[in-house]
Amino acid sequence: MKSVTVAAIQAMKRAHEKIACLTAYDYSFAALLDRAGVDMVMVGDSLGMVMQGHDSTLPVSMDDMVYHAACVARGVSRALLIVDLPFLSYQVSPARALENAGRLMKDGGAQVVKLEGGAPMADTVRFLVDRGIPVCGHIGLTPQSVHQLGGYHVQGRDGVAAHRIREDARLLQEAGASLLVLEAVPAALGEAVSAALEIPVIGIGAGAGCDGQVLVLQDMLGLYPRPSPKFSKNFMPGSASIEAAVRAFVEAVRAGTFPGPEQSFS
Ligand code: KIV
């Protein structure tokens, strides 16, 4: 049994301890992150971009997710393991979501599954939670909706959009989500959503007021050959090794010094 459980992550929020999370897609990096002290390792469908070289996360399949999750699970002995449900593996019906979430847990070693979307996904979240599957929501910029959103843009910038994100967050918590990822929203909105919820809110481009932070590993190590988002930071300069860079990320998250204003949206 892993020492970092969903309950332990939720207790960190209550104790006002910041939560550090990074993505991983393979055994060796997963073991390094676990050793370096991240609280959660996320097998994101960002693997479609950083591992497979696609322009978006849309082509990622369930088989891809199960394969990478199983590799990562072998490397993680302490941190909580969250795995993404890829595009169209959960939107079709709650029953399909349950089958695929079950695969991520049985074959991929996931402890928590993550899915994108707010109010329209609340029933699916409740369906999974009622059947024993811990769920992480993902709202704000939801990359699987990139074509509907018209690109990878900051969300929640006007009053109506900000209100919708606050409502989405509330509904997901009510539906039983264990935690939320909030992506690319103004820092003030990130702080407000985090303060309003009992469950932890993990920001990526959502400001320092969130309960924790997540980054894509390749971005924070400066390995991704395409431009990285403004909200990311390369921790390699000044670090003697990859492990030192990961430790620097964890320390910066814990101290509340990452993200700074330069990685946040106003
Ligand atoms: O796919 C992913 O890696 C993610 C995180 C960056 C939040 O969803």
Side-chain angles (χ1 to χ4, degrees):
M1 193 69 182
K2 306 261 204 63
S3 51
V4 183
T5 58
V6 168
I9 293 294
Q10 293 176 336
M12 286 180 77
K13 170 161 183 155
R14 289 193 295 277
H16 304 289
E17 284 170 39
K18 297 274 187 185
I19 301 155
C21 178
L22 285 172
T23 66
Y25 316 97
D26 72 298
Y27 168 78
S28 300
F29 271 117
L32 185 150
L33 301 189
D34 203 46
R35 203 164 60 230
V38 301
D39 303 299
M40 307 192 296
V41 174
M42 183 181 289
V43 185
D45 61 356
S46 51
L47 70 83
M49 299 171 86
V50 300
M51 299 298 290
Q52 299 174 332
H54 294 297
D55 285 342
S56 76
T57 59
L58 302 186
V60 176
S61 68
M62 268 304 296
D63 286 348
D64 293 335
M65 294 308 303
V66 170
Y67 171 79
H68 286 279
C71 296
V72 168
R74 283 178 220 120
V76 177
S77 56
R78 182 191 49 79
L80 187 74
L81 183 57
I82 303 179
V83 182
D84 269 358
L85 281 161
F87 182 55
L88 283 194
S89 69
Y90 58 96
Q91 294 93 337
V92 175
S93 68
R96 181 81 68 86
L98 179 61
E99 266 172 36
N100 286 322
R103 262 192 86 194
L104 292 183
M105 295 179 90
K106 281 160 70 96
D107 304 331
Q111 290 165 282
V112 177
V113 301
K114 177 162 81 61
L115 55 81
E116 296 183 8
M121 295 316 302
D123 285 346
T124 301
V125 170
R126 189 171 293 108
F127 189 83
L128 295 179
V129 172
D130 284 350
R131 285 154 184 80
I133 301 200
V135 176
C136 174
H138 183 157
I139 54 174
L141 171 55
T142 45
Q144 292 175 14
S145 309
V146 59
H147 297 308
Q148 193 173 45
L149 298 174
Y152 298 103
H153 305 305
V154 180
Q155 303 296 305
R157 277 212 139 129
D158 62 62
V160 174
H163 176 73
R164 202 181 56 236
I165 288 172
R166 280 198 296 270
E167 268 305 286
D168 283 342
R170 188 183 65 75
L171 288 169
L172 290 173
Q173 170 171 279
E174 227 170 76
S178 297
L179 69 163
L180 278 193
V181 165
L182 181 56
E183 178 162 354
V185 300
L189 180 57
E191 189 169 354
V193 171
S194 306
L197 295 195
E198 280 168 30
I199 59 173
V201 177
I202 312 301
I204 173 161
C210 294
D211 304 307
Q213 302 293 330
V214 56
L215 282 181
V216 169
L217 183 66
Q218 277 71 2
D219 287 338
M220 64 79 61
L221 296 178
L223 293 175
Y224 190 51
R226 298 183 194 143
S228 288
K230 163 190 157 83
F231 55 66
S232 194
K233 178 177 170 181
N234 180 356
F235 281 80
M236 276 309 283
S239 299
S241 65
I242 289 176
E243 188 162 333
V246 172
R247 286 184 190 278
F249 166 78
V250 173
E251 274 164 33
V253 171
R254 295 253 195 275
T257 54
F258 176 79
E262 63 280 28
Q263 294 101 21
S264 304
F265 303 105
S266 54

